Amino acid sequence: MNIALLLPDLCGGGAERVASELSRYFTRKNHHVFVFTWKRTKNDYYFAGKIIRMPNHVKPYSGNIIWLARACELLNTSKQVRRLKKKYHIDVTISFMENFNCVNVLSKRKDKVITRICTILSVRENMVRRQGDFLYNRTFLRFMYSLADKVVVLTEGGKMDMVNEYRLSEQKIAVVSNPLSSFAGYEEEEWTYGDKVVLCPLRVDELKQQKTLVECFQRVLKEIPEAKLLLVGRTNSTYANEVKELVRKLHLEKKVLFIGHSSKVQYYLEHSTCFILISKGEGFSSAIVEALGTGLPVLSTDCPGGPREILAPGTGLGHQHIKTIEMAEYGILLPYINEEYKTPEDEKVKETISKALVQILTDPELRKKYSEKGKERAKCYSMEIIGARWEKLIHSIVK
């Protein structure tokens, strides 16, 4: 079978990492894999199959109407992809990210179209609505995704978001989680950050709420002065500059360290003391599964999306409901907070998060418990298990 993976870029984030894993899995299963992408950047991950770099996209509209420029760009890219689908006799096309999900639908020929949603769309929509980007308009998205053969989401929470908020048919949706990523090896070096290290290996971004995390960590330092917070992820955003400014304002430059994007994420996972995530929403959170796989204790707010399903399977989708620390089966869940909307409860939530961090940093038995449970849970997301779900899905739509 000829399978195309369609994505804007081959470097950086979680979607690209998953595409890399799928390219290798499908190749091992004797499928012919084609990776369609347009950005001519270096590859952070290894891709099996044939990489097809589309010509640099030319924006045929040069005016200042944002939605019209975006529409022209989508149509132009869709024409390129449609030609590639024909040339390489593609049977199934799997797309990543909202813009290329639309391109996948608009370029449909005889191929089966699978769009993959790697976020909680309603949360993302609230963030970008003010930018005038119609890619997150509910009417537009409902129409686009209704034309796909299957819409893959990463969690049951993501499925409910599409059904309840976008009125997509449940029969159209399949839940397939991200696989546990395989890491490239790294050269061991001396660990100089101490033994009380909180790790947040996520891009510094409004969605990930590192400003709130810094404010929580400031409270931790009152109890554990030697603690450090490592922010390992891209810092090329306006929000990242705001976080850096907050760190300077609080005089935490020696305690909150910006590592930047790193190819040695496993190094930080294996040497840190605990992992934390306090996002506004997570389509799944591969970062949590990666931490579990290395035995790093995980703390996460009970945000919309994947954290509860990963750390407390079988307990429902009750995000934003807990008010205190929940010692879940595979990790620690914390009350939800959204730094965009200030509430009277925010300071209490920040205090709760800081208390949980102090507890995990000072209790070796608790860390040992969650280290062992985490490795057990991570096995559920092996590439063979997740890959088999993809195979089953593809064969259900390719007759």
Side-chain angles (χ1 to χ4, degrees):
M1 189 179 300
N2 292 346
I3 300 176
L5 304 179
L6 177 61
L7 65 165
D9 207 339
L10 303 185
C11 67
E16 293 81 4
R17 185 189 291 273
V18 172
S20 166
E21 297 284 348
L22 285 177
S23 74
R24 285 177 276 169
Y25 177 83
F26 289 141
T27 300
R28 290 199 303 271
K29 296 299 180 180
N30 298 317
H31 296 296
H32 301 288
V33 175
F34 302 85
V35 182
F36 297 161
T37 186
W38 76 28
K39 291 189 179 178
R40 298 175 182 274
T41 53
K42 67 170 185 170
N43 302 355
D44 281 346
Y45 312 114
Y46 169 74
F47 284 80
K50 185 176 180 65
I51 296 177
I52 312 297
R53 307 250 185 209
M54 293 180 286
N56 287 337
H57 59 293
V58 178
K59 296 182 181 179
Y61 177 78
S62 59
N64 58 3
I65 303 176
I66 296 175
W67 71 265
L68 186 55
R70 172 75 88 172
C72 291
E73 183 181 82
L74 280 178
L75 291 174
N76 182 60
T77 305
S78 299
K79 290 178 183 177
Q80 295 181 33
V81 173
R82 184 175 175 82
R83 288 194 291 267
L84 290 175
K85 289 182 178 182
K86 180 179 180 180
K87 179 178 180 179
Y88 293 101
H89 308 286
I90 300 301
D91 300 303
V92 177
T93 308
I94 303 170
S95 53
F96 301 74
M97 316 297 283
E98 270 62 56
N99 56 344
F100 268 35
N101 283 342
C102 296
V103 167
N104 195 9
V105 170
L106 292 171
S107 64
K108 180 176 173 63
R109 296 185 68 259
K110 298 178 181 179
D111 58 314
K112 297 298 183 181
V113 165
I114 300 176
T115 56
R116 179 180 174 277
I117 299 173
C118 56
T119 186
I120 300 297
L121 271 184
S122 63
V123 174
R124 176 69 71 174
E125 176 197 349
N126 290 334
M127 292 174 57
V128 302
R129 182 184 298 161
R130 58 182 178 272
Q131 300 172 12
D133 191 341
F134 69 81
L135 281 181
Y136 291 92
N137 177 275
R138 294 198 178 196
T139 301
F140 175 77
L141 283 182
R142 186 183 309 122
F143 175 70
M144 278 288 131
Y145 286 122
S146 69
L147 298 178
D149 292 288
K150 278 291 181 180
V151 176
V152 168
V153 295
L154 309 183
T155 63
E156 290 295 331
K159 179 178 180 179
M160 289 301 98
D161 187 62
M162 296 306 298
V163 171
N164 296 335
E165 301 294 334
Y166 296 87
R167 301 205 304 272
L168 208 63
S169 167
E170 287 194 44
Q171 286 67 43
K172 179 77 67 172
I173 304 170
V175 179
V176 185
S177 301
N178 286 348
L180 176 62
S181 299
S182 55
F183 289 105
Y186 64 87
E187 185 175 343
E188 187 64 66
E189 59 185 72
E190 183 182 1
W191 180 255
T192 60
Y193 302 107
D195 60 357
K196 296 289 187 294
V197 176
V198 178
L199 177 67
C200 181
L202 310 163
R203 70 182 184 276
V204 183
D205 180 86
E206 181 183 357
L207 182 66
K208 307 303 182 182
Q209 303 197 128
Q210 281 92 347
K211 279 197 284 190
T212 298
L213 177 55
V214 169
E215 292 170 350
C216 294
F217 188 69
Q218 183 187 28
R219 291 169 163 85
V220 171
L221 291 170
K222 295 176 183 178
E223 301 287 333
I224 312 173
E226 70 273 25
K228 287 187 173 64
L229 171 62
L230 301 189
L231 302 179
V232 181
R234 297 190 185 279
T235 59
N236 56 344
S237 66
T238 300
Y239 181 84
N241 291 333
E242 293 173 2
V243 179
K244 291 177 181 177
E245 180 57 34
L246 175 62
V247 169
R248 285 192 291 269
K249 180 180 177 181
L250 298 176
H251 307 292
L252 299 178
E253 294 95 331
K254 294 183 179 180
K255 297 297 181 180
V256 179
L257 306 178
F258 294 85
I259 305 300
H261 177 69
S262 175
S263 59
K264 302 190 301 179
V265 175
Q266 186 179 12
Y267 168 72
Y268 294 100
L269 290 170
E270 291 180 348
H271 290 81
S272 295
T273 314
C274 67
F275 165 104
I276 190 165
L277 176 149
I278 57 170
S279 295
K280 289 179 182 175
E282 286 288 327
F284 175 69
S285 187
S286 293
I288 285 181
V289 175
E290 290 166 3
L292 295 175
T294 57
L296 186 63
V298 169
L299 300 89
S300 173
T301 51
D302 198 10
C303 65
R308 174 167 288 276
E309 291 183 48
I310 298 170
L311 301 178
T315 61
L317 304 176
H319 70 81
Q320 302 182 37
H321 291 171
I322 65 172
K323 301 297 183 182
T324 59
I325 299 169
E326 180 180 335
M327 295 296 182
E329 184 174 4
Y330 298 106
I332 300 174
L333 287 168
L334 306 167
Y336 179 69
I337 187 170
N338 188 328
E339 67 184 27
E340 186 177 1
Y341 305 106
K342 305 298 183 183
T343 73
E345 294 293 313
D346 284 359
E347 291 306 309
K348 183 178 179 181
V349 172
K350 292 174 186 177
E351 189 64 31
T352 300
I353 293 172
S354 66
K355 286 181 179 178
L357 284 169
V358 169
Q359 185 173 0
I360 198 71
L361 289 172
T362 57
D363 189 338
E365 288 302 314
L366 186 63
R367 293 200 300 273
K368 180 181 178 181
K369 168 191 169 182
Y370 278 123
S371 176
E372 294 172 352
K373 295 293 290 185
K375 291 178 181 178
E376 174 188 323
R377 180 60 172 154
K379 293 176 183 178
C380 299
Y381 299 100
S382 72
M383 188 64 246
E384 290 306 310
I385 291 175
I386 301 303
R389 293 176 187 168
W390 273 103
E391 286 271 11
K392 183 178 179 180
L393 170 62
I394 289 172
H395 287 294
S396 73
I397 61 174
V398 178
K399 307 299 182 183

